[in-house]
Each structure stands twice: as C-alpha cells, then as structure tokens.
Amino acid sequence: MEIKRMIAAVSAAALLTGCSSTKPSDSSERPTATATTATQVESTTQAETSTESDTDIVELSRKLCTDMAEGNYKTSFDLFSDNMKAAVSEEALTSSWKQVKAVTGEFKELLDTQHETDPNSGMSMTTTNLRFENKNLVIYIAFSTERLIEGMYMNFAQDEITPEDNDIYTETSIKVGEYELDGMLTMPKNIEKPPVVILIQGSGQTNLNEDAGICAPFKDISHDLAEKGIATIRYNKRFFQYPELGTDDVTVDDEVLNDADAAVKLAQQYADDGKVDGIFVLGHSLGGMLAPSIASRNSAVKGIISLAGTPRKLGEVWLEQLAPQLEAAEGDTKKYVEELIDQIETMRDKRELKEKKNPEPYNISFGVPYWTSLDAIDPAGVARELDIPMLFLQGSADTQVFADKDFAMWKEKLSDRPKCQFKLYDGLGHFFDCENGHINSHVIEDTADFIKASLK
C-alpha cells in the first residue's frame, strides 16, 4: 500500500478502532464513542518537533509508544493536532488504552519501527511493533510536517498463519479468486471425500481467521469441524489483504460476493477431483446475512449456516447498537455519538458523506454504491427462494445482532420452510465464544450434525 494512502487511512481513522476489548462478542464490529475536549499544546512543543530530522521522528514515535504502553498518555495527547483534539480527548485515549491492555497484558518491550514520508504532502507515518504478555500490538502514527499527530491507529499484531499438520487434520495454503487472496484448506485425516464448508467473515476487514482480540473464530471453527470429519476453506477478505482497493466506488460484490463465488468454484474443483463431496457456506454476522445470496448465486452450495446474521438493513441494526451509547453519553461524548448516528443516517439516505468519522469497523468510508448494493439485498426473501437446508444460529447475549429482533425475524420469515432450522444459545455473544475466547462446543456440534444430516 502506498505511503500516501496509508497516511490518509490512519488520519481518517483518528484513533484506534481496530482493537477489540476483552469481550470480543460485545465490542467488535461496532463503533466505540469517544469524548472530545480541548487542551492547549504548549507553544514550545511544535517548535521543538518541527526541527527534528526523520531519525528524530522515529525516536519520538518510539518514545510515545513506550509512554503509552507504560500508562503515560499525556505526552501523546500534548502532540495531538487541533483536528485530533476535536475528535479524541485525553480521557478517550486513556480509556482506549485500558481496553487494549486488558487484552494484551503486561508490556514487555518495544520492537521495530518503520518510517515513511509522503514526498508530496511531507506527512510522515511510523509503524511500531510492541511485545506484550498475551498479544502483541502495532501502533500507526501519522505526523504532520509540524510533527503534530494527525492520526493514530492501534491494532493487535497479526500472528503468522501457517498450515498445521497433526493426527486429526492437515492444512494447505491456497489462493482464492482473481486477487489470489491468501487462504487455507483444512482437511480431516482418515475421511474419504468429506463435506467442505466455506467460511465468510463479518463486517470490517479481517484475515482468514477472523481475528478479533483474543478470539480467532474461523480458526476454531476450521479445526473443530475437522475433528468432526468436515473440511473447511477460509481466506482473507479482499480489502484486508489489499486495502488500497477499497475505493469509494466498491460494492458488496467487490467486498464479499465475488470472492465467495470464487471460493465455491474452487471447492467445486476439489469435488470434481474427488477430494470433497458436498459444499456448504457458513457466514458470520455480515457473512451470515449474505449466506443466502451466495447460495442463490451458486447452485453447487448444498446448505448454509448463518451465525448471528441479520435479515434487516445494516443501517437499522447499527443505529440500535448505538442507542445505548447515546443514552449513557454526556457532553462531548454524546456529541460524537450524535455525529456518528448522523453519518449512518446519511448513508442510509444514499447521500455522499461529508466526513468519514469512523471508517472502521463499519466502513462508512465506502461510497454510496456500496450501500446501494447492500440495501438491494433482501436476505430473508432470497432465503425463501432456496430449496436447500439452512441453519440459523444466534446467541441470546449478542449486543450487535439481536435475538429478539433479528433472530425472531428469521423465524418469522422462514419458519414455514421445512428445510430451515433455528437454534438460540443462552448467554452466548456475537462470536459464540466461551470464557476462554474459543467457540462454544455446542455450536460446533450442532453445525456438524446439520451438515452431515443434510447430506443423507
């Protein structure tokens, strides 16, 4: 990704929405409102930093990262530009770090820092890796020519994903679609021609494991289903692997559906070669919403599993997610939530957004073509036209997709369809996770039983 785009992306993000809290089922895929305050930067700060060399800006960035990791957030906040201070308060910076450190554990050491400068604007960005007790962190900081912070973004470091081989399954690295997205085929051992499940992620740009804080749900699903004699295909989302392709004119076909079609085609090749027998699609959240559409576009799909998918318009769901935050917010925090709600309502009206307040995880930075293409899909209506087995799973404690509305609507629209099944799990959240951050075993068992029964 070119440096100009990287700096623009980090600046637009403003602050660290890439990390999940210790309860991924409650926090991923929704915005976290942050308070805004005004604090004066001492006049000497800008003068001192504006004369620093590129080497000095790396040292400055490393000091700021170390300070924040050790609990001193003031040194970073004092270098925030006016734009940053208008969006993020020192309180919000502190709160975000507390959420992050609840996952990462104790700070261990500062690792490497990369630095690039855009020759046209003069803006710079540093990328610093930090090692913690439980989960490593990457911090991106965009600096203006005056060496003030114009953007800051934190995300958990992506662990290297390599194929595994044990007594239960073997994995092979694969490429999916025209952009050759990195993926993984997980095949159970000692099973002749197992069924294969294609995994489709939720909102936001995630890797093939759908990493979210301490959870890696698609890795869990792949390995747990392999123990049940079922193969899986999982792969990076397109704009995770190639963020520079996420322009304003993309549609949901570009983000999800075209690559899903390619994954089904790849699975069909495996079936033609006698490696697998029976293709299924399992979608989570946005993926669960789109699973019926994927099956409708691909006759090779023999059944679908929707985990916490919604049959409603996403904008409507997002506004309901923000409602509790708005009710609890005060002062500048309330103003921020109100602005975010206005952004979503603007998107729903198919008008161009004036600002891009929260590009992740809702991807409000996508243009009108994306939302037009997404709103054109009627998930329940598409599902009604399918004559294949369908399983809809939902957690009662999900705070992003709601059991009393979304799950209830699936049942209302499809309960008369004999091939549809519905299961509600008491106490499970959006990622169907147990206390240890792994997928609940009952979800895996029910999914495996559904797939095997569908092939009889």
Side-chain angles (χ1 to χ4, degrees):
M1 186 179 183
E2 59 181 293
I3 178 62
K4 186 175 181 180
R5 273 190 166 278
M6 292 177 73
I7 291 173
V10 172
S11 299
L15 179 69
L16 41 112
T17 53
C19 295
S20 300
S21 71
T22 53
K23 290 281 188 180
S25 58
D26 292 337
S27 63
S28 184
E29 295 190 37
R30 70 179 184 192
T32 299
T34 55
T36 57
T37 59
T39 300
Q40 282 291 79
V41 180
E42 294 181 10
S43 59
T44 56
T45 302
Q46 183 170 333
E48 290 172 357
T49 56
S50 63
T51 60
E52 292 173 342
S53 66
D54 288 346
T55 300
D56 290 335
I57 205 169
V58 171
E59 294 177 356
L60 171 63
S61 182
R62 290 175 68 81
K63 180 184 185 304
L64 297 176
C65 290
T66 301
D67 285 352
M68 289 186 289
E70 293 178 343
N72 177 13
Y73 315 113
K74 182 173 174 54
T75 55
S76 292
F77 184 77
D78 283 349
L79 287 178
F80 275 13
S81 69
D82 289 341
N83 288 335
M84 279 290 287
K85 286 185 175 180
V88 182
S89 67
E90 187 174 359
E91 176 189 20
L93 179 64
T94 302
S95 175
S96 296
W97 260 100
K98 287 181 178 178
Q99 293 180 38
V100 169
K101 291 179 75 172
V103 175
T104 62
E106 182 183 351
F107 174 56
K108 293 297 184 181
E109 63 176 328
L110 201 65
L111 301 176
D112 61 297
T113 299
Q114 291 86 44
H115 167 247
E116 294 185 76
T117 301
D118 178 23
N120 296 317
S121 68
M123 286 188 67
S124 300
M125 191 175 82
T126 59
T127 305
T128 302
N129 291 279
L130 300 87
R131 188 170 72 85
F132 287 80
E133 180 182 10
N134 301 324
K135 189 81 173 176
N136 292 347
L137 201 65
V138 184
I139 302 179
Y140 307 87
I141 304 178
F143 292 93
S144 69
T145 53
E146 291 80 19
R147 300 301 193 261
L148 296 178
I149 296 173
E150 291 289 354
M152 183 183 294
Y153 184 79
M154 298 193 301
N155 208 350
F156 296 117
Q158 298 293 330
D159 296 329
E160 183 180 4
I161 302 174
T162 56
E164 297 183 23
D165 188 359
N166 53 41
D167 293 339
I168 300 171
Y169 56 82
T170 184
E171 293 190 315
T172 305
S173 295
I174 59 175
K175 300 292 183 180
V176 174
E178 62 174 315
Y179 291 97
E180 297 189 333
L181 302 177
D182 294 333
M184 195 76 70
L185 171 66
T186 305
M187 290 286 289
K189 290 186 174 179
N190 304 317
I191 302 292
E192 184 178 356
K193 295 199 295 186
V196 61
V197 182
I198 298 166
L199 308 184
I200 309 296
Q201 298 100 317
S203 299
Q205 305 313 314
T206 54
N207 66 10
L208 57 90
N209 286 341
E210 202 187 33
D211 280 343
I214 60 174
C215 287
F218 278 13
K219 179 180 178 180
D220 287 347
I221 291 172
S222 294
H223 294 173
D224 292 349
L225 286 181
E227 293 185 4
K228 306 291 185 182
I230 297 170
T232 54
I233 289 172
R234 65 193 198 272
Y235 53 93
N236 291 336
K237 288 190 76 172
R238 181 183 298 189
F239 303 132
F240 171 84
Q241 188 160 330
Y242 300 108
E244 67 273 17
L245 298 178
T247 57
D248 287 344
D249 59 352
V250 303
T251 67
V252 72
D253 292 68
D254 302 311
E255 189 203 19
V256 178
L257 295 177
N258 290 342
D259 296 325
D261 293 344
V264 173
K265 184 177 180 180
L266 179 60
Q268 185 60 59
Q269 292 177 6
Y270 294 148
D272 293 343
D273 293 340
K275 294 178 65 174
V276 300
D277 185 18
I279 300 170
F280 291 78
V281 169
L282 182 152
H284 173 240
S285 197
L286 174 66
M289 173 186 176
L290 296 175
S293 296
I294 296 169
S296 178
R297 293 160 60 115
N298 296 278
S299 59
V301 175
K302 302 303 181 186
I304 64 171
I305 304 97
S306 174
L307 278 70
T310 176
R312 296 188 291 159
K313 305 298 184 185
L314 280 188
E316 179 183 347
V317 178
W318 294 346
L319 290 174
E320 289 187 9
Q321 293 174 8
L322 285 168
Q325 293 191 46
L326 181 62
E327 184 177 352
E330 298 178 357
D332 291 329
T333 301
K334 185 173 184 178
K335 180 180 178 181
Y336 180 85
V337 178
E338 290 173 341
E339 290 174 349
L340 183 53
I341 289 173
D342 181 65
Q343 292 287 297
I344 295 172
E345 290 176 339
T346 299
M347 172 271 294
R348 294 179 73 195
D349 292 339
K350 305 298 187 302
R351 292 180 278 119
E352 295 291 347
L353 300 180
K354 296 178 182 178
E355 298 179 38
K356 297 171 182 178
K357 288 283 186 182
N358 193 45
E360 290 287 350
Y362 281 161
N363 286 324
I364 293 176
S365 59
F366 284 164
V368 168
Y370 178 83
W371 302 110
T372 301
S373 67
L374 190 59
D375 279 358
I377 297 173
D378 174 13
V382 174
R384 284 193 64 82
E385 298 300 318
L386 297 174
D387 188 28
I388 59 174
M390 290 175 273
L391 176 63
F392 297 89
L393 308 180
Q394 177 71 46
S396 69
D398 192 336
T399 59
Q400 296 170 55
V401 176
F402 305 98
D404 61 341
K405 294 186 178 180
D406 301 283
F407 185 65
M409 184 176 288
W410 283 121
K411 294 181 71 174
E412 176 189 349
K413 300 288 187 180
L414 300 172
S415 59
D416 62 333
R417 309 298 287 176
K419 294 184 179 180
C420 290
Q421 300 179 38
F422 309 89
K423 288 187 177 290
L424 181 65
Y425 299 90
D426 186 42
L428 294 187
H430 194 58
F431 283 90
F432 297 84
D433 51 301
C434 302
E435 288 300 318
N436 61 2
H438 292 286
I439 293 289
N440 183 280
S441 61
H442 295 296
V443 175
I444 297 298
E445 291 168 3
D446 291 339
T447 300
D449 290 344
F450 167 80
I451 291 169
K452 292 175 182 178
S454 299
L455 293 174
K456 292 180 180 179

